[in-house]
Amino acid sequence: MAFRLHPVFIKSETINTPEALLQLMDKSDLKKGEAFDFYATSKQYDRVFIGRIADYMICCNGNLAYGALDEENPLLDIEDVEAAAIIWDETSAVFGFSIIRKGMAVRKVLVVDGEIECNEGEPVAEELAIDEDSLFDPEEKEEILEEEGPEGFAALVQAEKICRATNAVAKRYLGTGIVELREKLALHEYC
């Protein structure tokens, strides 16, 4: 099964309840509904699911996650926010994340079908920890270099690092990679 997940992890004294988050998203009219497991939010782009994990509120909503890559992101208006928006779309080969601290986007990256669409800010620890030499075996590397050339290979390495780093950043909040979560994580749908 290909996952299309859009979790946003938020820690803030200002935005610390589902109601405050819904107001920020301009969706104050939504009411708490049925609980769903984290993976049940896959491919539910417009629907809003909110829950908690450790010290973070988690909201699965594609608009909020992709919005974290925009300059007009409502999370940027919150002075005390620490947030991470994850975009994990195996169906369309779209991977990336945005990390926001104290009203500033400190890192935003997005890869769409192997092409880097956004790459702003300094790489985070998860990106720096990836050993580029381990991404492709020697035969695969040679084949890519022959077909794509050095510049194409370098772009492919960067895209693969972003994909792997996205999973690693999710691990900060979930305790495991985005597709390896074994425990049930309940999120309530707001509709």
Side-chain angles (χ1 to χ4, degrees), residues 12 14 27 52 81 83 92 112-113 173 179-180 182:
S12 165
T14 308
K27 295 185 178 286
R52 282 215 165 275
V81 75
S92 302
V112 177
D113 200 21
Y173 306 95
V179 296
E180 292 93 17
R182 298 289 179 236

Side-chain angles (χ1 to χ4, degrees), residues 53 170-177 181:
I53 186 163
K171 190 174 186 173
R172 281 189 201 181
Y173 306 95
L174 294 172
T176 187
L181 187 64

Side-chain angles (χ1 to χ4, degrees), residues 64-78:
L64 186 62
Y66 275 97
L69 295 167
D70 293 337
E71 299 300 322
E72 299 299 317
N73 172 0
L75 292 170
L76 295 175
D77 296 332
I78 311 302

Side-chain angles (χ1 to χ4, degrees), residues 89-152:
D89 187 342
E90 296 170 346
T91 306
S92 302
V94 180
F95 304 95
F97 59 91
S98 175
I99 297 177
I100 298 165
R101 286 190 196 108
K102 298 182 181 179
M104 294 179 51
V106 296
R107 182 67 168 140
K108 298 189 297 188
V109 292
L110 186 69
V111 171
V112 177
D113 200 21
E115 299 290 323
I116 298 170
E117 297 288 320
C118 178
N119 187 357
E120 298 177 17
E122 294 298 317
V124 296
E126 289 84 353
E127 291 172 89
L128 297 173
I130 297 170
D131 177 16
E132 291 182 10
D133 292 331
S134 70
L135 296 177
F136 304 100
D137 64 46
E139 289 177 11
E140 191 177 22
K141 179 179 178 178
E142 190 62 38
E143 187 178 306
I144 295 168
L145 281 167
E146 285 178 21
E147 290 179 17
E148 304 292 330
E151 287 180 11

Side-chain angles (χ1 to χ4, degrees), residues 32-45:
K32 186 175 182 178
E34 188 179 343
F36 290 87
D37 182 53
F38 175 70
Y39 291 117
T41 71
S42 180
K43 301 182 180 162
Q44 304 299 322
Y45 185 89

